[in-house]
Structures are given as C-alpha cells and as structure tokens.
Amino acid sequence: FKKRKMKFRPCIDLHSGKVKQIVGSTLTDDGDDQTKKQQELKASSEESKEILSTNFETNRPASDYAKMYERDELTGGHVIMLGPGNTEAAKSALQAYPNGLQVGGGINETNAQEWLSYGASHVIVTSYVFHHGQIDMDRLTNLVSLIGKSKLVLDLSCRRKPNDTDPNKPYYVVTDRWQTYTNVQVNEDTLKQLSEYCDEFLVHGVENEGKRCGILEDLVVLLGKYSPIPVTYAGGVKEMNDLEVVKELGGGKVDLTIGSALDCFGGDMKYDEVVEWHKKENS
C-alpha cells in the first residue's frame, strides 16, 4: 500500500458570474430558481451584497484560473457555483481545463451528466443528497447509478450548532449555502457509510471559511483518522505553515484547498510557493 501524499487543491469560487472569495458564514440565499428573470436576480443579488462579506472580486475570467491550474499540473481542484448566474463562467473554466476540475453548486440527477459532458472530472453534491435534514438514500443511489461512484464527490461542509463552543461537540453537515443544519454528524460512521457511494469528500470548515483565522484542527484530525477515501479540507488557511499543520494532523491523507489567503485572490500567501510545496511533496 503506497502512502498517500498530501496535495494542494486549487479552487474557483463563482458568485453572480464572477470569481470571488467570500466569507462562508455570511452567505445568504439570493434565490436559486434558474427560471427567474435576470432583473429579479440582479435585484436580489444587490440586496444580498449588503450582507455578503466579500474578500476578493475580480474581472479576470474563471477560464484564466483554470488554465493556470492546468499549467501547474494541479488536479482535483473545484469550481463552486454560489447561487445563480454562474453557468457560463463555470463551463468556460471546465472547457479550459478538461477533466482537471470538479464542479459543484446546484448539481442534481437532472444536470449531473451534462456537467460531466462539459469537462468536469467529478460533480460535487450536497443539498440534493442531504435533503430535509437527513441523507436521502434514494437520491444518492439514483445519482450513483446514473453517473457512477467514481464521478461523485460528496460535500460534507459542516459547522457546530450555534453556541456550541465545546470542542467535543459534533460537527453537522450544513446545506443550502451553509445555512441549513442537517441531523447528519461528520464522524467515523458517516464517513464510512458515505464512502461506499462516492470517490472523494470535500469538507469546508464553514466557521473559518474565508476568514484567514487558522484551520479547524480537530476537524482535520477527524478527517485524517476516519475517512476511507480521499478528502479535501477548506477553510481558514492563513500562512504557509498551515500546509505542514494539515499534513501532520491529517497524516498526509487530508488534501488542502486555499482560497482568500492566496495572492491570486488578493491574499498574502504566494500561490507560486504553494505550488512549489505541492510539487516537492508529490515528487
């Protein structure tokens, strides 16, 4: 059994068609009914802007980031569509780096095949499968029979219940832009059960997402200890040393996504240095 090497996984977060980095816990629902008129979408996104805390926004196209990740031979990164109005930008990124990126945000059994046909290596799913506060096994098994386990990533983005600061309290999977708590705890049993149905897990530590305040160390330990399949953690990275911390705490089994902290998203960490670290680890 070859020891798994930790990878840096890049990301492209899209909001209203633009590449952005936002504070995860400030996301609100600005309507995801794709049939709404553009005007309504514009009006509702104007309203949500006041609440949404944005770290970074750029006019640089998503496809540019995708090409950069391809150039640097980074695989398994993700494109996340936060709300409506992101389809074209996401498609352009997938087409710029075919089979090199995963895609998530509003994916279900009606559109999963379509996104794979646009060039996604995997589709990432949360809200569709974690439905009415629990795991909808019918939806999950249908999706797997439709696209295959090897094409599915389950997003177990999670947070503790409000006012639960006790480090022994569980993390719960959250859905609908991380606003709705499910009754699904991220623990050994859940990771084991769900690993039968997907290729990888993606886990955003929602409380720290976009805040550059350090990682949720106990969550990384839990993922490294109990995930039987590849898992990527995102949330709170602020400096190069966090790569070493995640490598150590996760036993090399937990990959890391860095967003707001990178200089290509307006942060202080040098993207090129992170790529260099990744290449050294994986050489």
Side-chain angles (χ1 to χ4, degrees):
F1 179 70
K2 197 165 144 241
K3 193 172 182 317
R4 204 176 168 278
K5 292 180 173 176
M6 177 183 160
K7 296 181 174 69
F8 158 62
R9 307 267 200 134
C11 66
I12 300 171
D13 291 354
L14 298 169
H15 187 261
S16 303
K18 286 188 167 184
V19 175
K20 286 187 191 175
Q21 284 290 317
I22 58 176
V23 178
S25 54
T26 66
L27 259 178
T28 56
D29 252 319
D30 52 3
D32 64 354
D33 181 354
Q34 297 289 3
T35 59
K36 282 184 184 175
K37 297 186 192 76
Q38 284 309 105
Q39 277 175 320
E40 279 178 276
L41 292 179
K42 191 169 184 301
S44 64
S45 66
E46 292 299 320
E47 283 160 32
S48 76
K49 256 180 219 151
E50 292 163 29
I51 315 157
L52 189 74
S53 177
T54 304
N55 285 329
F56 174 79
E57 185 176 327
T58 180
N59 288 321
R60 184 180 173 190
S63 55
D64 269 22
Y65 284 92
K67 285 174 192 152
M68 178 169 83
Y69 301 154
E70 183 178 37
R71 177 199 74 196
D72 294 326
E73 298 172 348
L74 299 171
T75 56
H78 53 265
V79 180
I80 302 289
M81 300 179 282
L82 298 162
N86 297 309
T87 306
E88 291 312 312
K91 275 164 69 172
S92 72
L94 298 175
Q95 284 156 359
Y97 187 7
N99 219 35
L101 294 162
Q102 306 167 355
V103 68
I107 308 282
N108 56 46
E109 64 182 31
T110 67
N111 61 14
Q113 287 281 33
E114 192 181 343
W115 280 104
L116 292 168
S117 75
Y118 295 147
S121 67
H122 298 68
V123 291
I124 304 167
V125 175
T126 314
S127 302
Y128 181 66
V129 163
F130 296 96
H131 186 54
H132 294 319
Q134 50 206 10
I135 303 168
D136 188 322
M137 290 310 294
D138 287 345
R139 286 185 168 194
L140 181 55
T141 50
N142 286 347
L143 197 55
V144 172
S145 59
L146 183 72
I147 62 169
K149 174 185 190 285
S150 65
K151 293 288 183 190
L152 182 62
V153 175
L154 285 178
D155 183 337
L156 305 183
S157 294
C158 57
R159 59 204 307 189
R160 288 201 168 101
K161 292 277 173 79
N163 308 320
D164 256 2
T165 46
D166 178 347
N168 300 310
K169 288 285 172 73
Y171 285 98
Y172 289 89
V173 173
V174 285
T175 63
D176 307 315
R177 321 258 203 293
W178 304 331
Q179 298 166 83
T180 307
Y181 282 88
T182 66
N183 61 11
V184 182
Q185 295 183 14
V186 178
N187 57 25
E188 182 178 8
D189 290 345
T190 303
L191 293 168
K192 207 167 156 185
Q193 179 196 2
L194 293 176
S195 70
E196 303 286 329
Y197 298 92
C198 63
D199 200 40
E200 297 185 358
F201 296 123
L202 170 63
V203 182
H204 290 87
V206 174
E207 292 318 323
N208 291 18
E209 172 74 13
K211 291 182 184 170
R212 283 179 271 180
C213 58
I215 59 165
L216 293 168
E217 296 191 358
D218 56 343
L219 183 54
V220 172
V221 169
L222 187 151
L223 297 172
K225 200 169 169 184
Y226 296 126
S227 179
I229 57 174
V231 57
T232 301
Y233 169 86
V237 174
K238 58 179 179 179
E239 58 198 10
M240 282 302 293
N241 188 50
D242 286 334
L243 285 152
E244 291 295 339
V245 171
V246 169
K247 178 184 164 184
E248 192 180 329
L249 294 177
K253 295 195 292 185
V254 180
D255 292 342
L256 187 62
T257 289
I258 309 170
S260 304
L262 291 176
D263 56 1
C264 60
F265 297 122
D268 303 320
M269 277 177 82
K270 290 189 170 53
Y271 165 82
D272 291 342
E273 254 178 61
V274 174
V275 171
E276 211 174 295
W277 184 93
H278 165 87
K279 287 189 169 167
K280 209 162 78 188
E281 278 301 306
N282 288 275
S283 61

